[in-house]
Structure formats: C-alpha cells, structure tokens
C-alpha cells in the first residue's frame, strides 16, 4: 500500500522575531515494515535545511532562520510504501514470560524499561493498574491485548483536553485525553507493572471511509510498541483499540513524546506564538515517473498558499478604536 502524507505547520508571532531555530521529525522511517520513497521539507522564510539520524535511527531535520520574520511555515510531503503487517496472534507460548525476561537480559532495552519524563509512576497510575488488573498473568501478549482494550473503554477521546506537556495525572483525573495521553498511560503501566520494554511512536494514521477511528484525521497520531519474544516490536493503538497495521505510518520512536515531537525549537524576540497544524494522509498509486511530481490536491495547494501569506500589518489607531468600541459595548 502506498500513502501520500502532507503535513503543514505554521507559527504566527505576535511581533516580529529576529531568529528561529527549529528541529523537525516529520520524515517517515524506512525499515522492515515501511519505506519512505520520497520526502521534501519546505520552509518559509527560505533557509538551508540540514539533516541527521539520531541514535534510534529517526530522521531529524534542523534549520536556523537568522533574519526578522512574523511567521514560520513548514510543509513536509512524503510518499511511503507500507508492507502488509502479519496478523498478531491472540497469545504466545506458555513459557513466553521466561522467554521475554531472557531477551531483556540479553538485549539493550534499558531506555524503554525505566520511567521517562511523560511516562512515570504516580498514585493515580497505581489506582488505575489495580482497577484494570495490570499484572503479570496469562502470557505477555494476552495481557497487552487486554490492556489495549481496557484503556480504549476507560478513557474518552476529547481533542484539546490536555496540552503537549501535560503529565499523565491530568488525563487520569479527567478520564479523557488525546492519543498522546493514551500512549503515555499505557507506556507507564507496561514498564512499571509488566516489565515489558515499551516505546512511544509518533506518526500518522490513515483514516479510511469504513474505519471507525476516534482520533481525528487532520492531526498527527501516536501509539506504542511493545517488545515481545518471537514477534519483536508490536504496535498497540489504545486510542482506537487497534493493533499496529499498514495504516500506521511511523515517523519516529522514543521513550515518550519529549523525544520525538514533530517540531521542537526556540525563537529570539519578545513575542508570543500561535501554532496551527494540518495533516492529510491519502492513498497513492505508487511512485511517479522520473519526470513527474506527486499530484497535489487543489485544496492542499490553497491551504499552503494561504498559510504562506503574511499576516496583515496592524494599525495601532484602528486597533485602539476597536478596543474602545468593545469596552463601550461591554459597559452597556
């Protein structure tokens, strides 16, 4: 299966900033399950973009815009080939716990076994573990299937109910969150109470017409991967009660969100920033001919063109008059 992924990110600053330094993780990974056939990153204002791979083989791009600017627009476009994922069984062999412990003892999984910034134990997590019966029983795969199901039903999916830097206790208190919260809670439970290596996956999910997904199709997605004997890393998506499939397009893996945010940077200047994101994942017929480019839908072209238009300059006098009118209306 081939997918075209388009990811637009826009930062608008309240005042001109003098410099922006940014790092992005939007380039899909290439491994046994998927191949990124083409990738293009466009930045406005224009600048030179550099890239490297981190210690987990994630593709990272970074750039520096030293001149004054009122906004920053990043457009990433990818063509990805996804392999059909073999069905994940319902359970493993009777000695699976022993086999898992032997693999962990012999391997290098420490990063994905210990607490991390957004996936750490707490009293609320302990209460949830008891309520959901998260403990070593049956076999590792059966427990993970059960946990994936229970988290889906325990939490409501509510967009914008948490922030990117919210600790898991916010979602645990509200009993709702977004895909990032579902993933962090599952990671913390699996590491603390099951002692199974578990990592955070950032990427995209293709939403077909017949797919009953809770997560929204205009944003990035997150899920988890757990290491299991005989199977390796297996994906679990507690937001949508899914097992990782050829609809899950992986861009980066890490301990939690702090390791793999799509954008991470700073700017120089006295200003606040407003972030807006648009994502489009659509099936593709495959690689275009050498003298052809990937077709770009008209609606996406208009969205990018609109995003790159500079905000209208402010008029101090008009702003003051508008403010006074609003004050008078509020007093009436």
């Amino acid at each position: 299966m081939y997918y075209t992924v388009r990811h637009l990110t826009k930062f608008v600053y309240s005042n001109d900033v003098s410099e922006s330094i940014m790092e992005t993780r939007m380039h899909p990974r290439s491994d046994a399950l998927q191949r990124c056939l083409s990738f293009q990153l466009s930045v406005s204002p224009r600048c030179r973009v550099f890239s490297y791979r981190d210690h987990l083989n994630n593709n990272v791009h970074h750039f520096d815009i030293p001149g004054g600017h009122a906004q920053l627009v990043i457009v990433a476009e990818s063509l990805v080939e996804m392999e059909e994922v073999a069905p994940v069984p319902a359970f493993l062999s009777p000695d699976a716990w022993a086999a898992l412990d032997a693999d962990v003892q012999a391997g290098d999984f420490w990063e994905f076994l210990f607490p991390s910034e957004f996936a750490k134990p707490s009293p609320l997590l302990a209460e949830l573990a008891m309520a959901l019966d998260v403990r070593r029983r049956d076999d590792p795969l059966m427990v993970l299937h059960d946990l994936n199901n229970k988290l889906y039903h325990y939490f409501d999916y509510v967009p914008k109910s948490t922030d990117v830097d919210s600790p898991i206790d916010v979602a645990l208190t509200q009993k709702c969150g977004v895909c990032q919260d579902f993933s962090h809670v599952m990671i913390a439970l699996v590491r603390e109470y099951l002692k199974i290596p578990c990592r955070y996956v950032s990427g995209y999910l293709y939403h077909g017409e017949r797919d009953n997904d809770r997560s929204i199709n205009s944003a990035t997605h997150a899920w988890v991967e757990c290491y299991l004997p005989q199977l390796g890393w297996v994906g679990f998506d507690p937001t949508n009660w899914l097992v990782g499939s050829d609809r899950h397009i992986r861009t980066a893996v890490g301990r939690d969100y702090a390791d793999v945010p799509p954008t991470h940077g700073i700017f120089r200047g006295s200003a606040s920033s407003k972030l807006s994101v648009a994502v489009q994942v659509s099936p593709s017929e495959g690689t275009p001919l050498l003298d052809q480019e990937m077709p770009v839908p008209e609606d996406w072209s208009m969205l990018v063109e609109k995003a790159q238009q500079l905000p209208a300059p402010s008029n101090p006098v008009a702003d003051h008059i508008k403010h006074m009118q609003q004050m008078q209306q509020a007093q009436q």
Side-chain angles (χ1 to χ4, degrees), residues 48 57 92 106 202 246 260 271 276 305:
R48 186 174 181 182
N57 209 34
L92 298 174
S202 175
D246 59 4
V260 292
S276 56
E305 183 178 351

Side-chain angles (χ1 to χ4, degrees), residues 86 101 109 133 167 169 208 219 239 257 277 283 297 317:
D101 292 338
F109 297 100
D133 192 23
D169 278 359
T239 305
Y257 174 83
V277 176
V317 176

Side-chain angles (χ1 to χ4, degrees), residues 216-237:
I216 58 178
N217 60 4
S218 59
T220 58
H221 192 48
W223 59 100
V224 308
E225 288 181 343
C226 302
Y227 178 83
L228 293 167
Q230 305 169 23
L231 300 178
W233 292 101
V234 178
F236 294 91
D237 183 351

Side-chain angles (χ1 to χ4, degrees), residues 76-181:
E77 298 180 275
S78 312
L79 177 63
V80 185
E81 180 184 10
M82 302 295 297
E83 295 290 337
E84 184 175 353
V85 179
V88 177
F91 55 88
L92 298 174
S93 59
D95 63 342
W97 283 115
L100 171 65
D101 292 338
D103 285 355
V104 170
Q105 187 69 26
D108 184 12
F109 297 100
W110 67 269
E111 281 186 287
F112 308 118
L113 283 169
F114 290 107
S116 54
E117 182 174 352
F118 292 117
K120 60 182 66 174
S122 73
L124 288 177
L125 186 75
E127 293 177 11
L128 180 64
M130 183 174 295
L132 301 185
D133 192 23
V134 183
R135 58 185 175 85
R136 285 197 164 198
R137 52 185 169 81
D138 304 318
D139 76 75
L141 185 52
M142 290 181 67
V143 176
L144 291 172
H145 278 308
D146 183 55
L147 180 58
N148 198 34
N149 174 14
K150 288 178 176 177
L151 289 176
Y152 171 83
H153 289 97
Y154 186 85
F155 290 98
D156 291 327
Y157 179 82
V158 181
K160 299 182 180 180
S161 58
T162 59
D163 299 320
V164 294
D165 57 352
S166 294
I168 58 174
D169 278 359
V170 175
L172 291 172
T173 301
Q174 300 176 162
K175 290 189 176 181
C176 68
V178 295
C179 57
Q180 175 180 305
D181 304 300

Side-chain angles (χ1 to χ4, degrees), residues 267-316:
F267 61 83
R268 187 190 303 274
S270 179
S272 59
S273 64
K274 180 181 179 181
L275 169 66
S276 56
V277 176
V279 170
Q280 184 185 79
V281 182
S282 54
S284 176
E285 296 181 355
T287 55
L289 299 176
L290 293 177
D291 59 346
Q292 293 180 341
E293 295 182 352
M294 288 190 299
V296 180
E298 183 177 356
D299 59 341
W300 181 260
S301 300
M302 294 175 63
L303 182 64
V304 173
E305 183 178 351
K306 183 178 179 181
Q308 292 177 335
Q309 294 176 352
L310 292 174
S314 61
N315 186 326

